[in-house]
Amino acid sequence: MDSIITEHVEAYVYQEAKFGNRECGDSYFIHAEEGYFICAIADGLGNGPIARQSSQILPKVLKEYHHESIDELLSRCNEHMVQKRGAAVAIVKVDYKQKTIQYSCVGNVRFYMLHDCDKMIYPLPVMGYLSGRPQKLKTQQYNYEKGDLFFLHSDGVILRSPKASLKESSGPCELYQKVLASIEHGDDATFIAGSLLL
């Protein structure tokens, strides 16, 4: 389990490869700065090394350019996908000063946020995947409150009731354990469970 715990955010990451594969076709990135937190998941098309080759573009780009806007980061990832299999990519960025959380996705990486212990935020991703071709990007922004839970996952994680999973969890660690106990193993799967603390 990979994790980040700061005064502003607490987040836990789970990843497993498809049964029989040594490499997971998903990649992820988590990073915290003084003013913001960023996390992302890329789901390479297919599975194994070819899928991982595409998904690994995400952490390489974000490691160097995480200070940029989500649209700029997705555009950079897209440029590197030329002549590769391609990947579904989602990026979440939290601005502590503005108290906002931004999300943008191309493909089927899902994002949920439980706002103010009751309201479920579930933005619809843009269909398709990053492949080097021009993409229509749509960054969505929401305000957050102290204690809001969020969950980002690749399509290898199937949540039967996302709202119940978030509402019945006291924090990101319990959410992590709850999802881990309920998912069907065997496919490439990655998820990030987090909470905003300030």
Side-chain angles (χ1 to χ4, degrees), residues 90-150:
I91 303 176
V92 173
K93 197 166 191 180
V94 179
D95 185 311
Y96 305 142
K97 193 175 179 184
Q98 303 292 331
K99 288 266 188 188
T100 57
I101 186 163
Q102 293 184 326
Y103 160 85
S104 189
C105 176
V106 178
N108 56 357
V109 179
R110 305 289 184 189
F111 173 73
Y112 306 96
M113 185 169 89
L114 186 65
H115 179 60
D116 207 15
C117 299
D118 183 57
K119 186 184 175 191
M120 188 71 166
I121 293 170
Y122 171 44
L124 293 174
V126 173
M127 298 316 292
Y129 56 93
L130 297 185
S131 61
R133 294 191 294 274
Q135 284 290 345
K136 188 179 175 185
L137 303 175
K138 186 185 174 190
T139 296
Q140 297 168 76
Q141 181 171 297
Y142 308 92
N143 295 322
Y144 73 83
E145 301 284 334
K146 177 182 177 180
D148 283 0
L149 272 175
F150 64 87

Side-chain angles (χ1 to χ4, degrees), residues 14-16 151 157 159 174-185 191:
Y14 174 81
Q15 183 170 77
E16 72 172 290
F151 191 78
V157 178
L159 279 185
E174 188 178 344
L175 177 59
Y176 176 99
Q177 298 296 344
K178 211 178 270 288
V179 174
L180 188 56
S182 70
I183 61 172
E184 293 177 13
H185 300 276
F191 69 77

Side-chain angles (χ1 to χ4, degrees), residues 29 125 161:
F29 181 81
S161 179

